[in-house]
Amino acid sequence: MVKTNTNKDLLKEKGFLSQRQDDFFSMRLHAAGGNLTSDYLRAVADAADRYGKGYVHVTSRQGIEIPFVHLDDTEAARNEMDSKDIGPGASGKKIRAVVACQGDRVCKRGLIDCQGICEEIDNLYFAEPVPYKFKIAVTGCPASCLKVQENDFGIMGFSESVFVEENCVMCRACEKVCGVSAITIENGSLYLDMHKCVSCGSCIRACRKDAMQNQEQGYTIFVGGKVGKRPRMGDMLLRTSDRSVIFDVLEKSINYYRENAQEGERLGDVIDRVGLDAFRETIKYP
Ligand code: SF4
Ligand code: SF4
Ligand code: SF4
């Protein structure tokens, strides 16, 4: 079979990324949020045995690739995955599969339903065309295990505490648990430094006397992050306790990116060029 660029482009559309070895491809599969069912894993294991070399590669974005699929097997391999309802992964100028931690379904520190948000966003936007590439991450708390600040659009859970002095018995449990030293107890008084506080909610969980209470809980949204050759940390855009705001801001951000990006620009490059204030103004979130 003659290998042409058109062939390669068609294969890339179907998730086959060319390897350094002629006529071999790494078959990227759609997977969002890192939760894979046992059926999915069995189907992938079978395909890796049949078409690859009996192993898979887990990508940096919680995805799965089966390396060493020969050009002659690509059609059969894709058909087999289709029959198991496993679509191709995205590459090129597309919205990539959403990554997420386990959030409040599993993790003790989780403040939001990362997997639910991930699934909803992935259903809405996965593989939609964009000017260059667009990566989305959801992480359950400010520990940011899913590195939302490195993504074009990131969602992080937050819990803001408020100190209720009359309930406090000065046990110091909150002081011990605070990883950023935002709480200090001196001379019988507790000081909560909101400039240091990252709103992780740990002190609220640690307090047995209801003296650290949850003032507000919700979602912090970051925009414009990326890594690669020119890394850029995402800007904190807003905090909200309204889940629907995430989807509204995401839709507006993607549309803004589509309308304003120049050749090769990520959302962060656009924000650097126009300014964060102009971006905020356009998407109408102060
Ligand atoms: S980001 Fe927070 S909720 Fe998510 S896995 Fe890490 S510690 Fe748990
Ligand atoms: S854990 Fe609660 S009771 Fe103990 S010092 Fe902190 S706020 Fe006060
Ligand atoms: S919310 Fe987290 S960072 Fe803030 S004071 Fe409590 S433990 Fe410290």
Side-chain angles (χ1 to χ4, degrees), residues 34-60:
N35 277 5
L36 305 172
T37 65
S38 48
D39 283 345
Y40 182 109
L41 292 170
R42 269 188 286 272
V44 170
D46 288 346
D49 281 341
R50 194 165 300 128
Y51 304 109
K53 287 193 173 183
Y55 76 93
V56 302
H57 175 70
V58 179
T59 73
S60 60

Short mmCIF file of all heavy atoms in Angstrom, two decimals, residues 34-60:
data_model
loop_
_atom_site.label_atom_id
_atom_site.label_comp_id
_atom_site.label_asym_id
_atom_site.label_seq_id
_atom_site.Cartn_x
_atom_site.Cartn_y
_atom_site.Cartn_z
N GLY A 34 -9.99 9.51 33.15
CA GLY A 34 -9.17 8.46 33.75
C GLY A 34 -9.93 7.31 34.38
O GLY A 34 -9.31 6.41 34.94
N ASN A 35 -11.24 7.32 34.32
CA ASN A 35 -12.01 6.18 34.84
C ASN A 35 -12.34 5.25 33.68
O ASN A 35 -13.12 5.63 32.79
CB ASN A 35 -13.32 6.66 35.49
CG ASN A 35 -13.13 7.11 36.91
OD1 ASN A 35 -12.01 7.16 37.40
ND2 ASN A 35 -14.21 7.44 37.58
N LEU A 36 -11.77 4.06 33.68
CA LEU A 36 -11.98 3.13 32.57
C LEU A 36 -12.67 1.88 33.10
O LEU A 36 -12.22 1.30 34.10
CB LEU A 36 -10.63 2.76 31.94
CG LEU A 36 -9.78 3.96 31.49
CD1 LEU A 36 -8.40 3.50 31.06
CD2 LEU A 36 -10.47 4.71 30.37
N THR A 37 -13.72 1.46 32.44
CA THR A 37 -14.45 0.28 32.92
C THR A 37 -13.64 -0.99 32.62
O THR A 37 -12.76 -1.00 31.75
CB THR A 37 -15.82 0.15 32.23
OG1 THR A 37 -15.58 -0.09 30.84
CG2 THR A 37 -16.67 1.40 32.42
N SER A 38 -14.01 -2.06 33.32
CA SER A 38 -13.32 -3.33 33.07
C SER A 38 -13.59 -3.81 31.64
O SER A 38 -12.71 -4.40 31.00
CB SER A 38 -13.74 -4.38 34.09
OG SER A 38 -15.14 -4.41 34.21
N ASP A 39 -14.80 -3.52 31.10
CA ASP A 39 -15.09 -3.91 29.70
C ASP A 39 -14.16 -3.18 28.74
O ASP A 39 -13.65 -3.75 27.77
CB ASP A 39 -16.55 -3.58 29.35
CG ASP A 39 -17.52 -4.59 29.94
OD1 ASP A 39 -17.04 -5.68 30.37
OD2 ASP A 39 -18.73 -4.31 29.99
N TYR A 40 -13.98 -1.87 28.99
CA TYR A 40 -13.09 -1.06 28.16
C TYR A 40 -11.68 -1.67 28.21
O TYR A 40 -11.06 -1.89 27.17
CB TYR A 40 -13.10 0.38 28.70
CG TYR A 40 -12.26 1.39 27.94
CD1 TYR A 40 -12.86 2.38 27.17
CD2 TYR A 40 -10.87 1.38 28.02
CE1 TYR A 40 -12.09 3.34 26.50
CE2 TYR A 40 -10.09 2.32 27.35
CZ TYR A 40 -10.72 3.30 26.60
OH TYR A 40 -9.95 4.23 25.93
N LEU A 41 -11.22 -1.96 29.43
CA LEU A 41 -9.85 -2.47 29.58
C LEU A 41 -9.67 -3.83 28.90
O LEU A 41 -8.64 -4.09 28.29
CB LEU A 41 -9.49 -2.56 31.07
CG LEU A 41 -9.36 -1.19 31.77
CD1 LEU A 41 -9.24 -1.36 33.27
CD2 LEU A 41 -8.15 -0.43 31.24
N ARG A 42 -10.70 -4.68 29.01
CA ARG A 42 -10.61 -6.00 28.35
C ARG A 42 -10.52 -5.84 26.83
O ARG A 42 -9.72 -6.50 26.16
CB ARG A 42 -11.82 -6.87 28.73
CG ARG A 42 -11.57 -7.74 29.96
CD ARG A 42 -12.72 -8.72 30.18
NE ARG A 42 -13.90 -8.05 30.69
CZ ARG A 42 -14.14 -7.86 31.98
NH1 ARG A 42 -13.31 -8.31 32.89
NH2 ARG A 42 -15.22 -7.22 32.39
N ALA A 43 -11.38 -4.94 26.30
CA ALA A 43 -11.38 -4.73 24.84
C ALA A 43 -10.03 -4.20 24.38
O ALA A 43 -9.50 -4.61 23.35
CB ALA A 43 -12.51 -3.75 24.47
N VAL A 44 -9.47 -3.27 25.15
CA VAL A 44 -8.18 -2.68 24.79
C VAL A 44 -7.07 -3.73 24.90
O VAL A 44 -6.19 -3.81 24.02
CB VAL A 44 -7.88 -1.46 25.70
CG1 VAL A 44 -6.45 -0.98 25.53
CG2 VAL A 44 -8.85 -0.32 25.40
N ALA A 45 -7.14 -4.54 25.95
CA ALA A 45 -6.11 -5.58 26.12
C ALA A 45 -6.15 -6.56 24.94
O ALA A 45 -5.10 -6.94 24.39
CB ALA A 45 -6.32 -6.32 27.44
N ASP A 46 -7.36 -6.96 24.54
CA ASP A 46 -7.50 -7.87 23.40
C ASP A 46 -6.91 -7.25 22.14
O ASP A 46 -6.19 -7.90 21.37
CB ASP A 46 -8.97 -8.22 23.16
CG ASP A 46 -9.52 -9.14 24.24
OD1 ASP A 46 -8.70 -9.71 25.00
OD2 ASP A 46 -10.76 -9.28 24.33
N ALA A 47 -7.24 -5.95 21.93
CA ALA A 47 -6.75 -5.28 20.71
C ALA A 47 -5.23 -5.13 20.74
O ALA A 47 -4.56 -5.25 19.70
CB ALA A 47 -7.42 -3.90 20.59
N ALA A 48 -4.68 -4.86 21.94
CA ALA A 48 -3.22 -4.72 22.04
C ALA A 48 -2.53 -6.05 21.70
O ALA A 48 -1.48 -6.08 21.07
CB ALA A 48 -2.83 -4.27 23.45
N ASP A 49 -3.15 -7.16 22.12
CA ASP A 49 -2.59 -8.47 21.78
C ASP A 49 -2.69 -8.74 20.28
O ASP A 49 -1.76 -9.23 19.66
CB ASP A 49 -3.36 -9.58 22.52
CG ASP A 49 -2.91 -9.70 23.97
OD1 ASP A 49 -1.82 -9.20 24.30
OD2 ASP A 49 -3.67 -10.27 24.77
N ARG A 50 -3.87 -8.40 19.74
CA ARG A 50 -4.14 -8.77 18.34
C ARG A 50 -3.41 -7.87 17.35
O ARG A 50 -2.87 -8.34 16.36
CB ARG A 50 -5.67 -8.69 18.10
CG ARG A 50 -6.11 -9.36 16.81
CD ARG A 50 -7.60 -9.59 16.77
NE ARG A 50 -8.04 -10.44 17.86
CZ ARG A 50 -9.03 -10.15 18.72
NH1 ARG A 50 -9.69 -9.03 18.60
NH2 ARG A 50 -9.36 -10.98 19.68
N TYR A 51 -3.40 -6.55 17.63
CA TYR A 51 -2.87 -5.62 16.62
C TYR A 51 -1.56 -4.93 17.02
O TYR A 51 -0.89 -4.35 16.19
CB TYR A 51 -3.92 -4.53 16.31
CG TYR A 51 -5.23 -5.11 15.86
CD1 TYR A 51 -6.35 -5.05 16.70
CD2 TYR A 51 -5.36 -5.72 14.61
CE1 TYR A 51 -7.57 -5.59 16.29
CE2 TYR A 51 -6.57 -6.27 14.20
CZ TYR A 51 -7.67 -6.20 15.05
OH TYR A 51 -8.85 -6.74 14.64
N GLY A 52 -1.24 -4.94 18.31
CA GLY A 52 -0.02 -4.27 18.77
C GLY A 52 1.01 -5.26 19.26
O GLY A 52 1.15 -6.36 18.71
N LYS A 53 1.69 -4.90 20.34
CA LYS A 53 2.72 -5.79 20.88
C LYS A 53 2.36 -6.25 22.29
O LYS A 53 3.24 -6.50 23.13
CB LYS A 53 4.08 -5.07 20.90
CG LYS A 53 4.69 -4.91 19.52
CD LYS A 53 6.15 -4.50 19.64
CE LYS A 53 6.81 -4.51 18.26
NZ LYS A 53 8.23 -4.20 18.35
N GLY A 54 1.07 -6.25 22.59
CA GLY A 54 0.64 -6.78 23.89
C GLY A 54 0.80 -5.82 25.05
O GLY A 54 0.79 -6.24 26.21
N TYR A 55 0.96 -4.54 24.75
CA TYR A 55 0.98 -3.56 25.85
C TYR A 55 0.30 -2.28 25.38
O TYR A 55 0.08 -2.08 24.18
CB TYR A 55 2.42 -3.27 26.31
CG TYR A 55 3.23 -2.37 25.40
CD1 TYR A 55 3.26 -0.98 25.61
CD2 TYR A 55 3.95 -2.89 24.34
CE1 TYR A 55 4.01 -0.15 24.78
CE2 TYR A 55 4.70 -2.07 23.51
CZ TYR A 55 4.73 -0.70 23.73
OH TYR A 55 5.46 0.11 22.91
N VAL A 56 -0.07 -1.43 26.36
CA VAL A 56 -0.63 -0.11 26.01
C VAL A 56 0.25 0.96 26.64
O VAL A 56 0.99 0.69 27.60
CB VAL A 56 -2.09 0.08 26.51
CG1 VAL A 56 -2.99 -1.00 25.96
CG2 VAL A 56 -2.15 0.14 28.03
N HIS A 57 0.15 2.15 26.09
CA HIS A 57 0.81 3.31 26.71
C HIS A 57 -0.27 4.21 27.30
O HIS A 57 -1.23 4.56 26.61
CB HIS A 57 1.62 4.08 25.66
CG HIS A 57 2.21 5.34 26.21
ND1 HIS A 57 3.24 5.33 27.13
CD2 HIS A 57 1.88 6.65 26.03
CE1 HIS A 57 3.53 6.57 27.46
NE2 HIS A 57 2.71 7.39 26.81
N VAL A 58 -0.10 4.54 28.60
CA VAL A 58 -1.02 5.49 29.24
C VAL A 58 -0.43 6.88 29.05
O VAL A 58 0.69 7.15 29.47
CB VAL A 58 -1.18 5.17 30.74
CG1 VAL A 58 -2.12 6.16 31.41
CG2 VAL A 58 -1.72 3.75 30.93
N THR A 59 -1.18 7.76 28.39
CA THR A 59 -0.63 9.08 28.04
C THR A 59 -0.65 10.03 29.23
O THR A 59 -1.28 9.77 30.25
CB THR A 59 -1.43 9.73 26.88
OG1 THR A 59 -2.69 10.16 27.39
CG2 THR A 59 -1.64 8.76 25.74
N SER A 60 0.01 11.16 29.05
CA SER A 60 0.05 12.17 30.12
C SER A 60 -1.33 12.76 30.38
O SER A 60 -1.54 13.38 31.42
CB SER A 60 1.03 13.29 29.74
OG SER A 60 0.59 13.89 28.54
#
